[in-house]
Amino acid sequence: MYKTMQVVALEEHYWDAELSQKSPGFEASRSEWQMKRLFDFDELRIGEMDANGVDVQVLSHGAPSIQRMKGQEAVDLARRCNDRLAEQIARHPTRFYGFGMLPTDVPDAAADELQRCMRDLNFRGAMLHGQSNGVFLDNQRFWPVFERASALGAPIYLHPATADPRVTEAYYADYVKAFPMVVRPAWGYTVETATLAIRLVLSGVFERCKDLQIILGHMGETLPYQLWRIDQALARPGQEEMGFRKIFCDHFHITTSGHFSTPALICAMMELGLDRIMFSIDWPFVPNEPAMDWVKTLQLNETDMRKFLGGNARRLLRLP
Ligand code: GRE
Ligand code: ZN
């Protein structure tokens, strides 16, 4: 059944050569297998898409992207990276779309870059990675970015990055040597990104930015599972209409990147509804095979499967 359906995966990464050179420790904990694929836009990438039935990748830079670069250097470098990504997409226009990177260290310039990405480069939104040089992105200094995203109808994908070094030291230092992934997909990434999502709701940014849509990967970074408890604990009498659950369900979409669990998917479907859930892989941090093997086991009806595999992404990202 899924063979006749278009498969769109939207947390699929690449690395820019110049930005990675300027990012110390970029290769740490990343395998040779992943490194080779992050810089490839041709045979390896498209060959593995074809071998597994992935029709479209929406490309984004890997973590921490431009979120740890400062000032005018960040502004200029983000522009060059986005231009280079657009060139790669133009070489395979039916297979690739893009999420831009934004130099959040200079918020007004980041908002302008988002607009340039959408209007001039035909990107489908932007991806932000964890804190911007140590500051959570819900801080009002970053609201120009969210206001512009809302006005442009540009979804913002919140991707994990490693936590503040003080958190890593206090919470993980004694296990990180034996289990380096504890600060990344095993747990640290999840905590970091779920915290940012909760802070964004608390900040009130969605009252200002009525059309802002946020995407979370990794099956929603645990938030669908926690939704009832968070909503109940934060509830304020007389403000039921502005509760956490309502804001989360109105302003967030999630993807399955790197999290191919049917019980987790069922939980997310019950909390958010299928229309806000989009298949994704997280290639090349996760290979395509286990993702597509999992999809074949899902007992979704044809309409829902079509939405899940590509239809929801097509609508949210306005893909042709
Ligand atoms: C990363 O290095 O950024 C990474 C991993 C594993 C899973 C996802 C991911 O190492 O982004
Ligand atoms: Zn990712």
Side-chain angles (χ1 to χ4, degrees), residues 11 13 29-30 34 63 159 181 184-185 189 218 282 285-286:
E11 197 193 300
H13 299 299
S29 309
R30 276 81 180 235
Q34 293 166 344
H159 189 274
M181 286 300 131
R184 285 205 170 111
Y189 271 2
H218 315 111
D282 209 357
F285 296 107
V286 178

Side-chain angles (χ1 to χ4, degrees), residues 67 131-136 164 166:
Q67 260 60 69
Q131 296 184 330
S132 177
N133 292 308
V135 184
F136 271 109
D164 185 295
R166 289 170 299 177

